[in-house]
Amino acid sequence: MTKLVVGPFNRVEGDLEVHLEISEGRVSLARVNAPLYRGFERMLEGRDPRDALTITPRICGICSISQSMAAARALGAATGVEPTPDGAGVAALIHAVENAADHLTHFNLFFMPDFARPAYAGRSWHARAVERFTAMEGSAQREAVAARAELMHILGLLAGKWPHTLAVQPGGVTRAPGANDKVRILASLRGFRRYLERVLFGAPVEAFAELASEVALMRWTGGDAGLFLGIAADLDLASLGRGAGRYLSFGAYPTDAGPAFAAGVWEDGLRPLDASLIREDLSHSWMLGPTAHPEEGQTVPDEEMREAAYSWCKAPRLGGLPMETGALARQVVDGHPLAQDLARQGGVLARVAGRLLELARTQILMERLAQGIDPAARFMAAPGATAESGVGAGLVEAARGALGHWLRIRRGVIASYQIVAPTTWNFSPRDAEGVPGPLEAALVGAPVQTGETTPVAVQHVVRSFDPCMVCTVH
């Protein structure tokens, strides 16, 4: 047996180390370390509850609107303020734009460049991968960045700025879009659709969104998605990095009619989500305190960094079990047949294809939300009185998965603020029972070639989860 430390990882938001034990050319054990503690939860204590709307988006520059949405919903639940129906619809559109941009960035800039590595020279697809995805030079990356910029014009209109907008509030959104804004938003969405259909999918987004099985998916040859699927078939990415088959979604894009993508839990079938069953285990984290639900949890760093622990990341569990979260999980829980078929193997192919599927479905959703904008509607509810006490939770879906904020107000200030981010679920350390987190389990069995110090298969598995480590430890 040999040991190997992989990290820091490039093209990852924040700091990440993966400690591996290798036997007979394969990973036999993995421990995932989030090595940087930031302490946003402690910064919020004692502040005016409304400060959460300003501070929590600064946790991350990639998914700041997701943090805004969670903070607004937690504050609204604690103070009894609900968004107007039209305000909720525009907030959902703002959030969907960020998540769609994130999916596009992940595929083109974070995940696919690994296939341009010299290690794959000689493969039939390698020359095309080099031309399309070489870091800083690939033609696919240039096209993706331009398309992303056009899509983000919508955030300029509706959110004022990105990242770190204050447009999303408990009562809705601060900007009431007019008729001209609606026309410009729809024009931006048409431009993004043209990019998706010409470059990424090579066909109408509806055609990709209607794929119903893995067999049908693997017949897809159009666009950069087809290139990825050909690579996945050649490298057998379906069997690499398989998960445990347990998926969690808090429900994405809540509107007056319910979430656009459903909430729930999947494990050999769908069941309702019971968020009261969430607990954060600290046995292998450099944190002090008992295992607790986030509403009762605390953030007390272990300054001694005891030897039994190995990460600043806590270990969230639902009903005592680790859960995988992300685009694949959302689509599985929402009942999409392709996602549920992919969940049978749940490896690298499934996670990346799940994001492509969701990108196609999100484009259709964004168009529907934009068409539904009524310039004459009311987009913000009255703010209400400042609460002296209250408890609230904001459960939303960031691009990477389930994001929860739990807020407790006492004497008019924040007494406790706890956050469980998607990467906290996926990159959690072991719990008190010794059960590894989703990434730790998925890495077992990954091949490591002789002489590899940064094994490419390990990087494929890690990137299929798309870690955001700054969110993990706030």
Side-chain angles (χ1 to χ4, degrees):
M1 181 188 72
T2 59
K3 294 185 178 182
L4 182 63
V5 178
V6 183
F9 282 72
N10 61 0
R11 306 195 305 279
V12 167
E13 178 73 24
D15 296 273
L16 168 65
E17 291 180 351
V18 179
H19 296 246
L20 304 173
E21 293 184 6
I22 302 163
S23 299
E24 299 180 352
R26 293 190 177 272
V27 174
S28 57
L29 182 145
R31 288 186 173 87
V32 178
N33 175 20
L36 176 65
Y37 169 72
R38 299 172 76 215
F40 269 77
E41 293 165 323
R42 297 296 297 272
M43 296 178 202
L44 287 158
E45 294 173 4
R47 292 181 176 270
D48 187 303
R50 292 167 295 187
D51 286 354
L53 297 170
T54 300
I55 294 173
T56 60
R58 267 76 182 176
I59 290 169
C60 180
I62 289 180
C63 56
S64 72
I65 287 174
S66 295
Q67 303 290 347
S68 296
M69 291 288 293
R73 295 191 69 81
L75 185 58
T79 58
V81 176
E82 294 186 0
T84 66
D86 292 273
V90 170
L93 176 58
I94 291 171
H95 194 188
V97 168
E98 179 181 76
N99 282 355
D102 201 325
H103 288 338
L104 189 68
T105 302
H106 171 258
F107 181 78
N108 285 281
L109 303 183
F110 296 170
F111 184 75
M112 290 299 291
D114 282 331
F115 299 107
R117 290 170 178 263
Y120 289 126
R123 300 277 185 173
S124 61
W125 43 262
H126 184 253
R128 187 178 172 198
V130 168
E131 189 274 327
R132 295 295 286 164
F133 295 106
T134 297
M136 305 298 292
E137 299 176 7
S139 56
Q141 296 175 341
R142 292 193 297 272
E143 291 174 291
V145 169
R148 182 180 184 273
E150 183 171 4
L151 179 66
M152 299 290 265
H153 288 166
I154 296 172
L155 297 186
L157 287 170
L158 296 179
K161 65 172 183 174
W162 182 89
H164 316 325
T165 182
L166 284 172
V168 177
Q169 297 285 319
V173 293
T174 59
R175 172 69 189 275
N180 289 341
D181 296 322
K182 181 175 179 178
V183 171
R184 294 173 68 186
I185 290 165
L186 289 169
S188 291
L189 289 173
R190 284 194 297 271
F192 192 62
R193 173 183 274 266
R194 284 194 295 271
Y195 160 79
L196 293 177
E197 296 184 342
R198 179 179 60 86
V199 177
L200 186 60
F201 297 120
V205 293
E206 287 81 1
F208 198 89
E210 290 167 4
L211 293 173
S213 69
E214 184 179 345
V215 171
L217 173 72
M218 299 311 291
R219 293 184 183 134
W220 189 276
T221 59
D224 290 330
L227 172 58
F228 160 68
L229 293 168
I231 293 171
D234 184 49
L235 299 180
D236 191 20
L237 297 184
S239 63
L240 178 66
R242 288 185 170 183
R246 290 187 294 270
Y247 298 101
L248 165 69
S249 173
F250 286 160
Y253 315 123
T255 67
D256 196 47
F261 298 144
V265 176
W266 176 275
E267 185 180 12
D268 297 324
L270 184 64
R271 69 174 189 268
L273 168 67
D274 183 355
S276 70
L277 298 178
I278 298 172
R279 299 289 185 275
E280 288 191 286
D281 182 295
L282 310 184
S283 60
H284 290 79
S285 305
W286 290 313
M287 295 285 175
L288 302 176
T291 296
H293 186 276
E295 189 176 292
E296 304 295 334
Q298 53 187 322
T299 300
V300 181
D302 177 10
E303 297 180 14
E304 300 299 323
M305 298 177 69
R306 64 192 186 280
E307 291 186 7
Y310 57 88
S311 177
W312 290 107
C313 180
K314 299 178 183 179
R317 300 292 186 260
L318 182 72
L321 296 172
M323 307 297 295
E324 183 174 327
T325 188
L328 175 63
R330 272 191 298 277
Q331 297 306 311
V332 168
V333 169
D334 196 53
H336 196 283
L338 172 58
Q340 292 183 352
D341 196 30
L342 289 169
R344 293 183 301 104
Q345 42 91 355
V348 170
L349 166 66
R351 294 186 195 99
V352 178
R355 292 189 81 137
L356 293 172
L357 171 63
E358 182 164 281
L359 185 53
R361 295 190 75 197
T362 302
Q363 173 67 24
I364 298 167
L365 170 65
M366 290 189 296
E367 292 171 351
R368 186 171 75 244
L369 290 170
Q371 288 285 2
I373 293 174
D374 177 6
R378 187 175 172 219
F379 294 91
M380 177 71 78
T386 303
E388 285 297 306
S389 64
V391 176
L395 308 182
V396 303
E397 284 287 316
R400 292 163 182 80
L403 168 65
H405 287 203
W406 284 265
L407 164 68
R408 185 178 294 275
I409 303 171
R410 290 178 185 160
R411 298 178 182 174
V413 300
I414 296 174
S416 172
Y417 206 106
Q418 292 292 297
I419 301 169
V420 181
T423 307
T424 319
W425 287 98
N426 288 334
F427 283 57
S428 70
R430 282 160 167 72
D431 56 31
E433 303 300 319
V435 177
L439 173 62
E440 292 183 334
L443 283 170
V444 173
V448 178
Q449 305 300 324
T450 301
E452 280 192 304
T453 56
T454 55
V456 66
V458 168
Q459 297 210 37
H460 292 330
V461 177
V462 169
R463 294 193 199 286
S464 73
F465 285 93
D466 189 18
C468 184
M469 304 312 293
V470 296
C471 288
T472 304
V473 291
H474 328 311

